[in-house]
Amino acid sequence: MDQLMIEGGTRLCGELRASGAKNSALKIFAAALLGDEPVTIGNVPHLRDITTMIELLGSLGVEVVMDEKMNIEIHANTIKRFTAPYDLVKTMRASFNVLGPMLAHYGQAEVSLPGGCAIGSRPVDQHLRGLKALGAEIEMENGYVKAHANGGLKGSHIYFDFSTVGGTEHIMMAATLADGETVLENCAREPEIVDLAECLNAMGADITGAGTDTITITGVKSLSGCRHDVIADRIETGTYLIAAAATSGKIKVQGAKHDHLEVLTGKLKEAGAEISVGDDWIELDMQGRRPRAVSLVTAPYPGFPTDLQAQIVALNCIAEGTGTVRETIFENRFMHVHEMKRMGAQIRLEGNNTTANIEGVCQLKGAPVMANDLRASVSLVIAGLIADGTTIIDRIYHIDRGYEHIEEKLRNLGANIQRTSSG
């Protein structure tokens, strides 16, 4: 099994290019199932989750063609099967979203209940309730969702019980081929939802309001193909900005959109960073200074992203002062704390493990640690970068799900990091 070995103590300095957004690409792959013609998707990151989604589409008989630049062409009209198997869906939650597109386009779908990171309860009840409101007949059997819409889906007015990213994307996709108008309220507002809507509209859908809490979809008879380039990954961008701030460094991230990360850059300014931005880049400069501790509460977009919470905890571990980080999106999302304590971090969990109080120390110490989920694992990379000595991170397959060539990008910024095998 692969490990990452990091010799800490080096400032990150230099430039890198943001990869395409995994969370956007995966849903657009699912959306391609709605088209009668091929959909070509560009700026796709080379990640394990992307490979899993391609395998899933292949298991359905869908033809997927990839070129050397990771442009992915999906031919949905070659589909032969309508069952998404457990062994693929269990590894990645986003794969569950093939249910709605298959149901809307072909009137049937059978999809295993999803898996993914072990970060608490992430139910799909909002997905299923929305599909039922569109007229789907749904049964649960042996861990699979079996859905039919023999007369086609019908437009409906749907209010989500809470702001659900996956639910918003899922029902928006299904409603594109429903008869009549669908209005979704209390929608999530993430940039990835806007990106998905723009792709669907390029295929011929009629969607307005994406990026607000109310989305209106007027159903159309069919969708065609299109070419669509995925937006930059704001979580990857934010991770490298935080890593540079934690190491007192200076980096410029090309391809990044500042308006997707304003809440983060505001916190990094509080930490002492100088931030410069352009149309497609963000630059951070700590001028060699140790960061100051920051406090925050995670919240749905445009609030502070839960997917950057663990990285900020890592920064706070060696910052001046004390910071408080409260998690409101997922339970069990402080699993990285116990590993950071092995490195000398002074962290106290409170409030049924929903709040971390972090007292900054001058130096962490390298240690063997173990990743528990995608974002927790990358926070341990940041901790290793700022620690004295050697840090070895096990179970890095979590990192490979969401970060493209992470050791290569970090080495280009001056980090002493390498991938090794534990035997």
Side-chain angles (χ1 to χ4, degrees):
M1 186 176 295
D2 284 357
Q3 302 172 321
L4 285 178
M5 185 169 69
I6 304 168
E7 292 290 336
T10 302
R11 292 178 183 171
L12 297 185
C13 295
E15 291 191 12
L16 60 86
R17 175 160 291 277
S19 299
K22 178 197 76 158
N23 290 339
S24 188
L26 292 172
K27 305 303 172 58
I28 290 172
F29 277 32
L33 293 171
L34 293 161
D36 290 332
E37 298 172 358
V39 173
T40 301
I41 308 161
N43 198 33
V44 177
H46 192 273
L47 299 170
R48 180 170 294 183
D49 277 7
I50 296 295
T51 303
T52 299
M53 194 64 157
I54 291 172
E55 290 179 15
L56 175 60
L57 294 175
S59 76
L60 302 173
V62 173
E63 182 181 342
V64 181
V65 180
M66 180 192 315
D67 68 17
E68 68 280 359
K69 295 182 178 180
M70 280 293 290
N71 292 303
I72 309 292
E73 188 175 86
I74 300 173
H75 299 250
N77 60 1
T78 64
I79 194 167
K80 297 179 179 65
R81 291 169 291 277
F82 302 95
T83 300
Y86 169 74
D87 62 341
L88 290 173
V89 180
K90 71 176 181 180
T91 65
M92 183 183 64
R93 181 177 175 81
S95 54
F96 185 71
N97 284 56
V98 301
L99 176 67
M102 283 198 293
L103 182 65
H105 196 176
Y106 302 104
Q108 61 177 309
E110 184 175 336
V111 179
S112 168
L113 288 169
C117 287
I119 53 173
S121 176
R122 304 177 74 184
V124 294
D125 59 308
Q126 297 298 296
H127 302 232
L128 300 182
R129 190 172 67 83
L131 292 174
K132 287 178 180 178
L134 295 176
E137 297 178 5
I138 294 177
E139 297 178 349
M140 304 289 293
E141 185 176 316
N142 299 323
Y144 279 78
V145 177
K146 296 185 176 182
H148 293 86
N150 295 327
L153 298 177
K154 309 294 182 184
S156 182
H157 195 122
I158 300 168
Y159 187 94
F160 293 112
D161 291 340
F162 56 90
S163 177
T164 163
V165 177
T168 299
E169 293 167 327
H170 204 164
I171 306 309
M172 183 173 72
M173 285 190 283
T176 59
L177 295 179
D179 182 23
E181 182 180 87
T182 298
V183 178
L184 307 180
E185 292 197 70
N186 197 27
C187 296
R189 299 162 57 187
E190 273 72 2
E192 294 79 13
I193 294 172
V194 177
D195 198 32
L196 174 61
E198 289 178 352
C199 178
L200 289 166
N201 283 341
M203 294 169 66
D206 186 351
I207 301 171
T208 58
T212 74
D213 61 3
T214 301
I215 299 175
T216 301
I217 307 105
T218 302
V220 297
K221 295 293 185 183
S222 64
L223 294 180
S224 59
C226 74
R227 159 78 196 211
H228 182 83
D229 289 335
V230 173
I231 60 172
D233 192 322
R234 61 194 172 95
I235 303 302
E236 184 208 41
T237 298
T239 297
Y240 286 114
L241 291 173
I242 295 169
T247 63
S248 305
K250 175 182 179 180
I251 69 165
K252 185 174 187 178
V253 184
Q254 299 282 2
K257 295 295 184 184
H258 178 245
D259 57 350
H260 295 171
L261 284 164
E262 288 184 281
V263 67
L264 171 65
T265 56
K267 287 297 175 183
L268 291 174
K269 288 177 182 177
E270 285 183 30
E274 295 184 3
I275 302 289
S276 303
V277 301
D279 290 341
D280 64 348
W281 56 269
I282 303 173
E283 187 174 57
L284 174 145
D285 187 357
M286 290 296 292
Q287 294 192 335
R289 295 186 294 261
R290 179 184 177 190
R292 296 189 293 267
V294 296
S295 295
L296 59 89
V297 179
T298 63
Y301 188 86
F304 194 93
T306 181
D307 281 350
L308 289 174
Q309 172 259 105
Q311 296 88 313
I312 285 290
V313 170
L315 178 145
N316 275 344
C317 285
I318 51 82
E320 294 179 4
T322 300
T324 300
V325 176
R326 185 158 67 92
E327 174 61 53
T328 69
I329 308 299
F330 295 120
E331 66 266 33
N332 300 336
R333 205 155 203 195
F334 280 117
M335 291 185 288
H336 48 283
V337 164
H338 302 292
E339 299 302 298
M340 289 178 181
K341 284 184 174 182
R342 290 168 50 81
M343 303 175 70
Q346 298 296 308
I347 307 173
R348 186 176 70 256
L349 292 179
E350 298 177 345
N352 198 26
N353 292 341
T354 61
T355 301
N357 288 307
I358 309 108
E359 182 180 346
V361 297
C362 292
Q363 186 76 66
L364 296 180
K365 300 292 184 181
V369 292
M370 183 174 65
N372 292 296
D373 67 54
L374 171 55
R375 307 307 172 184
S377 61
V378 82
S379 74
L380 297 178
V381 172
I382 296 175
L385 292 170
I386 55 183
D388 179 36
T390 303
T391 297
I392 297 175
I393 305 173
D394 271 322
R395 296 175 65 181
I396 63 169
Y397 57 84
H398 289 294
I399 298 177
D400 293 336
R401 287 186 49 223
Y403 289 89
E404 183 178 38
H405 307 308
I406 186 167
E407 65 269 32
E408 179 182 323
K409 287 189 174 183
L410 286 171
R411 275 199 299 269
N412 288 339
L413 296 174
N416 187 344
I417 179 173
Q418 60 182 311
R419 184 177 294 249
T420 63
S421 176
S422 61

